[in-house]
Every structure is written in C-alpha cells, then in structure tokens.
Amino acid sequence: MDIIVCVKRVPDTSEADVKIDGSGKNIDLEDLTFDINEWDNYAIEEAILIKEKVGGTVTAITMGPEESNEVLRRCMAKGADAAIRLTDDAFEGSDGYAIARILHSAIKDLSFDAVFLGAQAGDDGYGVVGPMLAEMLGLPHATLITKVDLEDGKVKVHRELEGGLEEVVDINLPAVLGIQTGINEPRYVSIMGIRKVAKKEIPVKGLADIGLSADDVGEAGSKTKIECMYIPEVGEVAEMIEGSPDEAAAKLAQILKEKGLMG
Amino acid sequence: MEILVLAEHRRGELREISLEMLSKAKEIADKTSGEITAVLLGQGVKDFADTLANYANKVLLIEDPKLENFNAEAYQKVLSALIKERNPAMVMIGHTAFGMDLAPALAVELDLPLATDCMDLEIDGDSVFAIRQVYSGKVNVKVSFSGAKKCMVTMRASACQIAEDMKLGGAIETVDSPLTEDIDYKIFSGYEEAAAGEVDITQADILVGVGRGIGDPDNIPMIEELAEAIGGVVSCSRPVVDKKWLPKDRQVGTSGKTVKPKLYLAVGISGAFQHLAGMNGSDLIVAINKDPKAPIFAAAQYGIVADLFKVVPALKDKINELKGA
Ligand SMILES: Cc1cc2nc3c(=O)[nH]c(=O)nc-3n(C[C@H](O)[C@H](O)[C@H](O)COP(=O)(O)OP(=O)(O)OC[C@H]3O[C@@H](n4cnc5c(N)ncnc54)[C@H](O)[C@@H]3O)c2cc1C
C-alpha cells in the first residue's frame, strides 16, 4: 500500500504569551518553538504502521519554507521512504482551499492508494484541507478517524462522533483519510535517527513545477481572507489566589473547606 | 437573502446545534431582511420538521432510506442539487463530526467560500464576517469571504444560544430525493458505543481533572493522591487519553463525557473549547496552571498561577491537615 501523508509544521503556543504582530493579521512567531502538527504526527505513524504490516511506501509532503524540512526529516526518521516540500513565495497567504489546491496539483499524478492527513491543524484549526483535497481528486474521504483496518480494496474506518460514540464506515481505496489524535502511539525519534536521514534529498517544488499560476495560490487563489487577529477580551476571570505555591495551596484548601468541598 | 440551515439529527434525536444555528440565522435574517430555510434530510424524521418550523420560514424535508444514517457523500449529492437550484446567500452547517466530514467537500463542489468552526457571524452591509478562534482559543480571527456574494459557514456547537419563543411557523415542503443510486464507495455500517469503565465520572461530586501539563504518566499518582485526599475522582483532558495515560472513560469534553460536579479542579489543562464544553456546567471550577493567559482561567472562579508540581503536593498536605483538625 502506497500512502502519501500531508504534514504541517506549526508553532507551539500552549504555554506561550501569544502576541499579534505588526500586520495585525498574524501572531508574532519570533520566540515560539515549532513542531509537527499533533494530528499529523498520528497520521504519519498510522501510515508507517500500515507499511510495516503490509508493505508499500510512505511519502511525506508539506507546503512550507525550508524550516519545514525538519518535520519531513522527522517523518523519514520514523520510517517514511521519501519526502517532498512545496514552496514558493506565491504560496504565502494561502487559505485552506488554496493549500488543498496546491497539494492536489502536487500529488494528482503520483500513484498512491491513500492520502492521510491530520484531521485538523493545531494552529488555525479549520480542518478543511483533507476533505477539500478529496473532492479535488474525485476520491471518497472520511475524517476524525480513530481506527483503520485494511480489507481487500477498501478500508474499514472508525469515525469519532460526539460523546464517545463512533461510527464504522467502509470506504473504497484510493481514499483520503483524516486522522484523529489517539489512534496510535506515535514513536519517538532519537537525534541519532534524525541524523541518519540528514543527507536524504528532499525534492523541492514551486509554482511552475506543479503547473499552477500565481492567481491560483496565495491570497489571490484563496476564498477567505483574514481581516484581523486579536487577543479575545476575557470577561470575568477567576479570582487569582496569590502567594507562594504553599501559601496559595493553603488558601485554596481553606476555601474548599469553607464551601464544604472536602470529602 | 436566503439562509439555508442544515438540520442535524442522530439516532432519532434532533441535535441542539440545529436550533442553535437557526437562532443565529434569525439574528442575521433580522438584519438583512432574509428568509430562513431549514433543510431536513433523513428517513422517518417528519416529527423534527414540526420543531424546525418554529425556527424557520420554510422547512424542506427530503426523506429517503439512503439518507437514514449520515453519509457525507449522500448528503453532499442531495445538498449540492438543492443549493444549485435555490442559490442561497448563506449555507450554515454544524461544526460537528457530521459537518466536518461534509462541508469542505461540498464547498469545493459548489465553489463557495467556507469558514469552519465559527463562534459568531457579523454582518456589515451585505458583507458577512466570521469570528473564529485560533491557537487553541488564545487568539480570535475575523475572516471575510473576499467580497463573494455567497458563502458557507460551519458553526461551533454551543457557541450560539437557542432563542426562546421562536414561532416563525414555517411551511413544511416535501421535496423528492434526487438520489437515484446507492453510494457503494462509502458505506455506513454501524455505530459503536464507548465501553463503560470501572468509574463513572459523571456521578462524582468532586473531580480532579488532569491535563497534558502533567507531562509524564509517572506523575499521575500524584493527582490520584490529591483526588483521594479531597474525596474525589480523577478525570482528564483528551491528550492524557490519547497518550494512554488514563482510560477513555475518564475523558471530559465534546468527544468524552459531560460532567457537572460540585467541584472541578483543573490541573495543567489549558481550557480548549472542546474540554470546557464538557465541564463548564460544574458548580465551582478551580484551575491550577502556570500560564496566566490559559483560557481555563476565564471559565474558573478561582485560579492559581503556578507550577502544578509545587501546588498539588502542598494542596494535598493542607487538605489532609484540615481534615485531621
Ligand atoms: C474533534 C475534536 C474533539 C476533541 N474532544 C476533546 C475532548 O472531549 N476533551 C478534551 O479535553 N479535548 C478535546 N479535544 C482536544 C482539545 O482541542 C485540546 O487539544 C485539549 O483539550 C488540550 O488538552 P490540555 O489542556 O490537557 O493540553 P494543552 O492544551 O497542551 O494544555 C496544557 C496546559 O498545561 C499547562 N502546564 C504545563 N506544565 C505545567 C506545570 N508544570 N504546572 C502548571 N501548568 C502546566 C500549560 O500552561 C497548558 O495550559 C478535541 C479536539 C478535536 C479536534
């Protein structure tokens, strides 16, 4: 089974003091650390697990600047056979639709049995690229997948619904599958492992290589536009219990006792 | 302008998102002298049409055994035919497991701009703007549809309030299903219920919710000790389950359980909307997080900004001390 996995490098903002940059349309990325999108990490793992079981190849593909190579190398260190990076100044400002279009142009002539993606990216969280790409490729798709079982010419997948419920769906291959977190246990890659693939060549493709024009991509090729970003005003926030950790803990214990919240 | 809202139902129940979206559609319709059309697809769902009629100027009902269970491919075929014919200014779908599978492909087929997971919609003249969250709720973004006259949006569950006393009395119109053949390349084969665990967190009066901030499964016992001291049970956020540090039946949130304890003590949880949706009905929420900007503090009544590894053991000791006193 030959699987293409689309991955994205995203900033980790979980503990960061996020600020809006001078354009007002993006966050200040300067002091942030980056990593593979959490969902994509499960997608690449699932593809490699399938390859290890039934054979075939895994190709990781990303749209992004040179720094994204580190994410592709991480995928190769885990077991991906090849990687492709799509980059062009014209890609700047692409929305999910334009990104799906870029990915579509890059992979439509490749041979594959499935395309895996994370169900969404942790930065902007639109979750549109997978199903849009499927529509452009004319392939069936499913998203929020928590289990993939291969059968003859098709896959049986579990889709996560709300409240712990799942649905089971049979999909013919080739198909586009959006992977949900928790589907597997992504392997750890050591620095040594990454060093081993440091010399592997990563082909780079630009606008002309994938047969698109500047009007198809970037802001011109996008259907939505960011007007502004802002830090939301938090209305009422918690009463902060001040003091050293010990003092704060003591005050909280007292509050809980007074409220009768102590078994 | 016509606002077309796709009603959502599952296993014989109309889902709340349907009325939430229709209530939001009413606000927009009032500002734009628009008309609301609810679309109801399924089999044996006529009863829902009566409820929807209160919230819409018109209900389009399409019944077909092929639409009995949700299948994005079948829904897409029916909706694209309907939308091409009616040409609505706005199509509204839920940002649910159902809408996430359906909307993006439908938008591409119809060449409509799409904004997903919207919390709110703003109208300025004839322009629509979507307000959504990015970076796990730390930043908001205002998105436009680049001047397009028509758009599609998916709305976040619980983001809009269901309007009270809506009595639009819309007419129910039955439309023939345009589906001619079975869809054999994507087949729904059944539901699978989550297995019941040994502890039912929905029954606990006190929950200590642990998040990714715990860092390592070896640190979970520290949380269990705190829970024991306070007479509560340990629950968790999704990443803790994804990493197999705790079983799925402990997960609180949209894809886990909804809990309403007397006390929810959130430790190392950032407060993503999918988590908040499962616990913001708790009587008292207390959060311990080292990031003062963590969204959880906006949901909590009390907060401690500090390293959980310092606060949790101290809190356990203090509680034991007070209990002994
Ligand atoms: C379809 C879908 C369904 C989902 N369903 C759910 C769901 O049901 N439930 C759910 O919880 N999530 C759900 N999620 C995931 C959700 O979006 C968030 O990713 C998740 O809730 C984040 O969990 P967290 O707060 O534990 O982790 P993070 O967001 O990583 O936050 C960790 C927090 O710990 C703090 N921290 C770190 N170290 C320390 C320390 N030493 N001391 C104090 N604080 C520290 C950090 O400041 C941070 O705020 C869902 C997502 C999707 C797409």
Side-chain angles (χ1 to χ4, degrees):
Chain A
M1 175 133 157
D2 295 326
I3 307 173
I4 294 176
V5 187
C6 306
V7 296
K8 182 180 185 184
R9 178 178 176 265
V10 296
D12 176 5
T13 50
S14 63
E15 290 169 35
D17 182 13
V18 179
K19 296 202 173 70
I20 308 298
D21 75 2
S23 74
K25 295 182 180 186
N26 206 342
I27 60 165
D28 191 345
L29 297 170
E30 195 121 316
D31 297 324
L32 299 175
T33 55
F34 287 76
D35 203 346
I36 183 169
N37 172 38
E38 187 182 353
W39 281 261
D40 300 345
N41 199 27
Y42 287 94
I44 189 79
E45 180 67 29
E46 195 62 20
I48 292 167
L49 287 173
I50 290 173
K51 178 187 115 163
E52 287 171 349
K53 208 157 132 198
V54 302
T57 62
V58 173
T59 304
I61 183 165
T62 193
M63 185 198 99
E66 201 170 347
E67 292 83 355
S68 306
N69 278 350
E70 86 197 20
V71 166
L72 295 176
R73 291 214 191 282
R74 195 165 280 270
C75 293
M76 289 196 282
K78 284 170 186 265
D81 303 274
I84 304 170
R85 184 164 64 88
L86 308 171
T87 192
D88 201 296
D89 288 346
F91 294 167
E92 188 74 22
S94 294
D95 71 353
Y97 174 81
I99 292 168
R101 195 147 178 208
I102 291 164
L103 289 169
H104 167 250
S105 300
I107 69 177
K108 67 179 193 309
D109 298 325
L110 303 180
S111 124
F112 58 82
D113 301 296
V115 180
F116 285 13
L117 312 85
Q120 67 173 49
D123 52 0
D124 56 11
Y126 280 95
V128 297
V129 174
M132 283 188 169
L133 176 63
E135 182 69 21
M136 293 173 186
L137 288 165
L139 295 178
H141 74 271
T143 189
L144 293 174
I145 293 175
T146 52
K147 189 165 186 231
V148 181
D149 284 322
L150 285 187
E151 292 179 359
D152 195 23
K154 57 177 191 175
V155 282
K156 191 181 269 302
V157 300
H158 285 221
R159 289 194 65 234
E160 176 184 291
L161 307 175
E162 288 78 13
L165 190 68
E166 296 188 332
E167 65 173 359
V168 186
V169 185
D170 295 316
I171 304 174
N172 285 4
L173 293 173
V176 178
L177 305 184
I179 305 295
Q180 174 65 314
T181 55
I183 187 173
N184 52 41
E185 293 179 59
R187 68 196 70 191
Y188 172 79
V189 280
S190 63
I191 309 258
M192 272 300 291
I194 293 180
R195 254 189 229 144
K196 269 197 194 140
V197 295
K199 293 235 162 57
K200 275 206 182 180
E201 201 169 329
I202 298 176
V204 177
K205 293 186 181 187
L207 193 59
D209 305 312
I210 58 171
L212 288 177
S213 70
D215 290 345
D216 301 327
V217 300
E219 272 183 35
S222 294
K223 291 189 177 293
T224 57
K225 190 170 153 215
I226 294 175
E227 294 292 324
C228 61
M229 276 194 195
Y230 54 96
I231 307 289
E233 266 181 50
V234 276
E236 229 174 284
V237 290
E239 178 183 332
M240 294 300 179
I241 303 174
E242 309 289 340
S244 71
D246 277 344
E247 288 161 9
K251 285 184 203 164
L252 177 57
Q254 196 59 45
I255 292 169
L256 296 179
K257 184 177 174 151
E258 278 159 21
K259 291 187 183 289
L261 292 168
M262 217 173 259
Chain B
M1 78 177 234
E2 182 182 24
I3 306 168
L4 194 141
V5 179
L6 177 65
E8 187 170 327
H9 56 88
R10 182 183 295 149
R11 302 169 109 187
E13 260 179 63
L14 188 63
R15 308 196 67 222
E16 280 190 3
I17 182 76
S18 311
L19 302 186
E20 290 167 17
M21 289 192 289
L22 287 164
S23 304
K24 180 49 74 179
K26 177 74 167 66
E27 269 177 53
I28 298 170
D30 287 345
K31 284 184 198 148
T32 57
S33 46
E35 293 272 303
I36 308 165
T37 305
V39 177
L40 176 59
L41 312 182
Q43 175 67 7
V45 292
K46 276 208 181 81
D47 288 355
F48 303 150
D50 297 329
T51 308
L52 295 172
N54 288 328
Y55 290 81
N57 302 101
K58 178 179 279 185
V59 180
L60 300 178
L61 171 65
I62 302 186
E63 292 206 290
D64 184 332
K66 297 188 193 71
L67 296 169
E68 179 166 4
N69 290 298
F70 171 71
N71 180 337
E73 306 278 348
Y75 266 66
Q76 186 177 334
K77 284 211 158 67
V78 175
L79 286 170
S80 68
L82 206 63
I83 292 167
K84 277 180 200 153
E85 188 193 305
R86 305 187 67 90
N87 218 4
M90 183 188 283
V91 177
M92 224 188 252
I93 297 174
H95 191 74
T96 54
F98 175 115
M100 286 173 81
D101 220 32
L102 167 69
L106 180 63
V108 169
E109 178 181 354
L110 294 168
D111 201 23
L112 287 175
L114 166 69
T116 56
D117 196 16
C118 302
M119 300 196 306
D120 200 5
L121 302 171
E122 288 179 2
I123 302 289
D124 186 1
D126 1 308
S127 301
V128 179
F129 298 94
I131 308 296
R132 47 193 314 283
Q133 284 185 339
V134 287
Y135 300 106
S136 338
K138 285 196 165 176
V139 178
N140 279 9
V141 60
K142 180 172 173 179
V143 175
S144 73
F145 300 96
S146 316
K149 291 273 172 286
K150 294 175 291 175
C151 66
M152 183 184 292
V153 293
T154 66
M155 300 301 297
R156 176 178 282 194
S158 309
C160 312
Q161 293 238 308
I162 298 178
E164 279 169 40
D165 308 323
M166 283 239 304
K167 287 266 177 301
L168 292 180
I172 299 171
E173 196 180 303
T174 307
V175 180
D176 287 336
S177 169
L179 290 178
T180 46
E181 53 206 68
D182 277 326
I183 288 165
D184 57 4
Y185 47 88
K186 182 173 182 183
I187 300 168
F188 169 88
S189 78
Y191 289 110
E192 202 161 291
E193 219 85 44
E198 47 190 273
V199 202
D200 184 358
I201 57 169
T202 65
Q203 298 303 312
D205 279 342
I206 296 179
L207 285 174
V208 181
V210 58
R212 190 180 351 227
I214 196 70
D216 193 287
D218 292 345
N219 299 325
I220 300 273
M222 179 180 87
I223 302 295
E224 280 164 352
E225 284 165 28
L226 172 63
E228 197 185 326
I230 201 170
V233 170
V234 176
S235 65
C236 65
S237 68
R238 175 167 188 136
V240 173
V241 174
D242 285 344
K243 292 173 191 290
K244 321 275 187 283
W245 294 350
L246 281 172
K248 176 87 184 169
D249 56 307
R250 302 289 181 117
Q251 184 188 318
V252 169
T254 50
S255 56
K257 296 202 165 135
T258 301
V259 297
K260 291 189 168 103
K262 292 190 178 128
L263 169 65
Y264 192 90
L265 179 56
V267 182
I269 291 179
S270 64
F273 123 84
Q274 290 99 339
H275 189 79
L276 297 181
M279 47 65 90
N280 57 13
S282 307
D283 292 346
L284 183 72
I285 299 172
V286 179
I288 300 172
N289 196 303
K290 69 176 177 191
D291 175 9
K293 299 270 175 68
I296 188 79
F297 288 124
Q301 284 82 52
Y302 291 99
I304 297 179
V305 178
D307 184 352
L308 71 91
F309 294 101
K310 299 209 172 96
V311 178
V312 169
L315 184 59
K316 183 195 75 180
D317 290 346
K318 277 289 161 208
I319 288 169
N320 282 335
E321 211 177 288
L322 289 178
K323 278 202 311 194

